Amino acid sequence: MDLDILKSTAMAMVASGKGILAIDESHGTCTKRFEALGVECNEDSRRAYRSLLVGAQGIEDYVSAYILFDETLRQETEEGIAFTKVLADKGIIPGIKVDKGAKDLALHTGEKVTEGLDGLRERLLEYFELGARFAKWRAVIAIDRNENLPSRACIVANAHALARYAALCQEANLVPIVEPEILLDGDHSIEHCYEVSVEVWNVLFDQLREQGVELQATILKTSMILSGKSASQRADALQVSQMTLKGLKEAVPDELAAVVFLSGGQSPKESTLHLDLMNKAGALPWPLSFSYGRSIQGPALEAWAKNPQAISEAQEKLLHRAKMNALATLGKYDPSIDD
Ligand code: 13P
């Protein structure tokens, strides 16, 4: 492990005024998103769509790193240029999703544990050779008040796997993004989400420390603290930003390299506004940025699905969302110029 290399990669991933774009959907997730818009999902359609995302000119002004899926890390544009080269030529750092997905947790109905540790050391060596400089592992935690979820077993199992993954990444000089996503589904209150989020973060940082993971070279990718999607009274944007900041300050160590958010079902504008309000609230111990998938890609994907030939129209939509979020990392987003 070379801590200096890891720290400088982590710093570059959240350079001032920039964030991370997630385009690492597995084939299953990509199929759902494409088919919902009437597009067949196959290797060629994924290449065409991701060429548009990777090739958008000027995105490097707003985005410092892309999270890719295994196929994309090895794929070339229609002109035969490796996606990793297109990104590296723009100064964008390529990274790779390395988990093998969330599987049912034994003896815990309704809960998942993320798998993928077997053979990970060898896969990470190959990913580094292919140009990746960071990795991502996503754990999912469901809240269900009636069933008393999440269980402690689910939180600990996922945090332990995240910590073992992060240690393997650092050994291979890849910056680990540790992503415990607390799902938006449910009718829980924002206060309940706060309690669960703080517990998950506390257990995660205990596990990371126990495995000897260097926090200065680790990035937390997290959900925001939100009311459940079907809660009768959902907290407003100011409350979301205040509760999320309060929870993060309580549980996240100052030495962590950065905190970035997933969008997790928030609308594009909501996710931008929430990030902006948090960055307007004053100085924080860590950079606070975005690592959105759906909320940055959404409008571009819809435009492309409607007309796959209108590449520049879709790219303009992508650039617009990237720019709005870049402004939000600086607390300079103005919703009145966002349409
Ligand atoms: P969102 O689509 O929720 O922003 O997700 C990003 C991501 O990388 C989830 O793992």
Side-chain angles (χ1 to χ4, degrees), residues 21-25 29 33 67 97 99 136-140 179 181 221 261-266 271 291-297:
L21 177 57
I23 63 160
D24 60 332
E25 299 81 9
T29 304
R33 305 241 166 105
I67 315 176
K97 167 199 176 76
D99 66 70
K136 179 191 108 170
W137 177 291
R138 172 175 174 261
V140 289
E179 180 182 6
E181 174 172 0
K221 171 163 174 166
F261 293 107
L262 58 98
S263 56
Q266 299 178 60
S271 63
S291 174
Y292 298 148
R294 278 167 286 177
S295 79
I296 292 190
Q297 287 184 49

Side-chain angles (χ1 to χ4, degrees), residues 51-60 66 90 92 315 318-319:
S51 284
L52 165 178
L53 299 176
V54 166
Q57 271 184 25
I59 194 128
E60 63 275 18
Y66 273 46
K90 293 198 270 198
I92 295 177
Q315 286 176 328
L318 180 78
L319 286 166

Side-chain angles (χ1 to χ4, degrees), residues 192-241:
H192 193 68
C193 183
Y194 177 93
E195 276 169 35
V196 172
S197 301
V198 168
E199 182 183 1
V200 167
W201 295 332
N202 280 331
V203 174
L204 174 61
F205 287 107
D206 281 351
Q207 293 282 336
L208 288 168
R209 286 202 186 89
E210 204 151 358
Q211 295 302 320
V213 174
E214 294 285 353
L215 296 183
Q216 308 154 67
T218 301
I219 294 180
L220 172 68
K221 171 163 174 166
T222 182
S223 32
M224 295 181 191
I225 295 180
L226 299 154
S227 325
K229 195 163 62 182
S230 43
S232 50
Q233 290 220 303
R234 300 200 68 215
D236 66 16
L238 191 62
Q239 266 177 299
V240 169
S241 65

